[in-house]
Amino acid sequence: EPEVTQTPSHQVTQMGQEVILRCVPISNHLYFYWYRQILGQKVEFLVSFYNNEISEKSEIFDDQFSVERPDGSNFTLKIRSTKLEDSAMYFCASSEAHRAGGTETQYFGPGTRLLVL
Amino acid sequence: AQSVAQPEDQVNVAEGNPLTVKCTYSVSGNPYLFWYVQYPNRGLQFLLKYITGDNLVKGSYGFEAEFNKSQTSFHLKKPSALVSDSALYFCAVRDRTGGSYIPTFGRGTSLIVHP
């Protein structure tokens, strides 16, 4: 069964450093998403991406964040200057398409645990 | 605005007993509702969803959920729990009348099934 994969599984970085989190969505999927989950809190939407551009983003997704699909398979989340509060589990997800009525299912990767020191 | 609440941080049940994981929601219009499960070191896995039609939705691994519009609930159930069902369960809602395709997730409920 196809899966969404994410690398690295864990990342430790110093405050102020840039990090890039990588995801390989399911191959025939067209919509891609990033979510985060701060320890003990709920899963929060960051951004969705379709046709090489951002389709929706939350207020969390500020100027320090960016997303890219550099080579047609990878989908990356870049955090330019990490802060302590960016420490969280980051999940990538993908879905086939936005069917009429929006009944698509999102498939999630295993996550990258980011720790900012 | 859309929101979802999972009132229990943890649910404990003995193997073989029925289980219920609670979820209530709030949307401006009509909801799409989802349940996901997260096993240790894995991503969220889709279990089931309510779109329209029968209020009782059947999903993966023997789970089902009942949509109750009057109580704005979508509780997850299973008639006979297995130890392997122990995991973190997330409810999510999306308002079908809005322009967004993004669901809002609850905080998750840890299900522990004791042998």
Side-chain angles (χ1 to χ4, degrees):
Chain A
E1 184 178 329
E3 290 185 328
V4 176
T5 59
Q6 291 185 242
T7 54
S9 58
H10 295 78
Q11 174 104 36
V12 181
T13 190
Q14 296 290 324
M15 189 170 57
Q17 296 297 304
E18 175 183 286
V19 296
I20 298 176
L21 310 183
R22 291 183 168 80
C23 168
V24 179
I26 295 173
S27 62
N28 63 334
H29 285 188
L30 301 177
Y31 287 83
F32 315 114
Y33 313 85
W34 283 102
Y35 292 82
R36 79 173 185 190
Q37 184 182 28
I38 296 171
L39 188 64
Q41 299 187 25
K42 58 183 168 182
V43 176
E44 301 173 295
F45 167 72
L46 292 177
V47 66
S48 63
F49 191 85
Y50 170 71
N51 199 26
N52 282 321
E53 60 183 28
I54 290 173
S55 51
E56 295 185 71
K57 62 180 181 178
S58 71
E59 59 190 21
I60 302 170
F61 193 86
D62 61 20
D63 291 345
Q64 70 163 335
F65 292 95
S66 63
V67 288
E68 193 176 37
R69 194 144 194 255
D71 57 13
S73 61
N74 289 286
F75 177 52
T76 62
L77 174 70
K78 182 191 290 186
I79 309 175
R80 270 182 262 282
S81 178
T82 51
K83 305 171 189 169
L84 296 176
E85 54 265 35
D86 293 329
S87 296
M89 179 74 92
Y90 288 81
F91 293 106
C92 174
S94 67
S95 63
E96 285 181 310
H98 287 168
R99 299 192 186 95
T103 60
E104 76 294 340
T105 297
Q106 295 182 21
Y107 294 87
F108 284 75
T112 293
R113 186 170 295 283
L114 176 65
L115 178 60
V116 182
L117 302 176
Chain B
Q2 57 192 33
S3 65
V4 63
Q6 293 180 244
E8 303 153 316
D9 289 335
Q10 185 170 300
V11 170
N12 291 279
V13 65
E15 187 174 31
N17 283 359
L19 70 86
T20 299
V21 182
K22 295 179 180 176
C23 171
T24 58
Y25 66 90
S26 174
V27 294
S28 303
N30 292 312
Y32 292 129
L33 293 154
F34 305 83
W35 275 102
Y36 284 83
V37 59
Q38 184 182 26
Y39 297 101
N41 301 315
R42 300 289 300 276
L44 281 71
Q45 295 179 34
F46 170 76
L47 272 181
L48 51 81
K49 64 184 176 185
Y50 171 80
I51 302 300
T52 188
D54 288 342
N55 290 340
L56 185 64
V57 179
K58 294 188 183 295
S60 307
Y61 312 121
F63 283 93
E64 58 188 30
E66 186 166 10
F67 170 62
N68 187 317
K69 187 172 183 178
S70 63
Q71 296 185 5
T72 63
S73 67
F74 190 57
H75 300 330
L76 182 70
K77 300 181 180 184
K78 186 173 181 180
S80 179
L82 299 172
V83 172
S84 58
D85 292 329
S86 298
L88 194 57
Y89 290 80
F90 291 92
C91 182
V93 67
R94 186 174 84 71
D95 189 338
R96 71 169 79 173
T97 57
S100 171
Y101 289 92
I102 305 305
T104 296
F105 285 83
R107 290 182 58 173
T109 298
S110 177
L111 172 67
I112 300 175
V113 181
H114 301 278

